Amino acid sequence: KLCPFSTPSVSSFSLPLQVEDATALNYKNKQDRYDILFLLLQSGNKIQKYMAMYAYLLSLVREISANHHERQKDVVQYVMDNCSKTGIQLILSPSTRPGAKSTDMDDQFTSLRNKIGHPSDIKKLVSVSEADINGLASIICCAIEDVALSL
């Protein structure tokens, strides 16, 4: 099953037209979660937008996995498991997370988040592209769909 949004374009993010008919009811039931995503997408600063979106994904993955703590390695596993549903190519690189094992890997979204949040070279600029934001938005949409509805 594909996620309802496959590599969306931030500039053309119009909800009812892109939601598959089968998931329109899910959107209605999860509208608050999508509204949070759309508010995050409104930020003009790409770095702030990306970091806020990653934090939102982290909270969604914590809810999906029913963990008490938000952990990047859970996000990495979620992205690895769901990247193909969005049409996004998974790119893994060695983890730069403090305390990570030498065998630990990060997905492209976590890797960029850590480059921004923990720069190893403060003189080197880190840039966030629209493609980075669009890919992260796609993964967030999958996570929203995976969150159990609270009745």
Side-chain angles (χ1 to χ4, degrees):
K1 174 188 166 207
L2 289 177
C3 289
F5 299 97
S6 297
T7 21
S9 167
V10 172
S11 61
S12 64
F13 228 15
S14 61
L15 195 61
L17 297 176
Q18 292 186 349
V19 175
E20 296 171 0
D21 291 339
T23 62
L25 181 59
N26 268 354
Y27 167 73
K28 186 77 173 146
N29 292 334
K30 297 179 180 187
Q31 185 172 354
D32 290 346
R33 295 179 193 279
Y34 282 109
D35 287 347
I36 291 169
L37 173 59
F38 296 134
L39 285 172
L40 293 173
L41 287 167
Q42 300 306 309
S43 174
N45 182 309
K46 288 181 184 178
I47 299 286
Q48 290 174 345
K49 181 186 310 188
Y50 189 88
M51 293 298 278
M53 288 172 65
Y54 188 90
Y56 186 43
L57 176 60
L58 192 63
S59 71
L60 291 169
V61 170
R62 181 196 54 78
E63 191 172 345
I64 292 164
S65 61
N67 282 334
H68 296 291
H69 304 288
E70 295 176 343
R71 302 182 314 180
Q72 282 187 0
K73 66 190 222 173
D74 294 333
V75 170
V76 172
Q77 188 62 54
Y78 184 83
V79 171
M80 288 172 55
D81 293 344
N82 292 281
C83 215
S84 63
K85 293 179 185 178
T86 64
I88 298 170
Q89 179 183 358
L90 177 65
I91 301 169
L92 295 173
S93 58
S95 180
T96 59
R97 199 174 58 247
K101 299 174 186 168
S102 61
T103 56
D104 288 347
M105 301 295 278
D106 283 344
D107 63 90
Q108 63 263 39
F109 305 110
T110 301
S111 179
L112 180 55
R113 183 257 173 248
N114 287 339
K115 286 178 187 171
I116 296 166
H118 308 288
S120 58
D121 182 357
I122 59 173
K123 294 178 184 174
K124 184 178 178 184
L125 292 178
V126 177
S127 65
V128 174
S129 70
E130 286 295 321
D132 297 326
I133 292 167
N134 291 343
L136 186 55
S138 292
I139 293 294
I140 290 171
C141 288
C142 283
I144 290 171
E145 288 302 309
D146 287 344
V147 170
L149 287 175
S150 54
L151 302 173

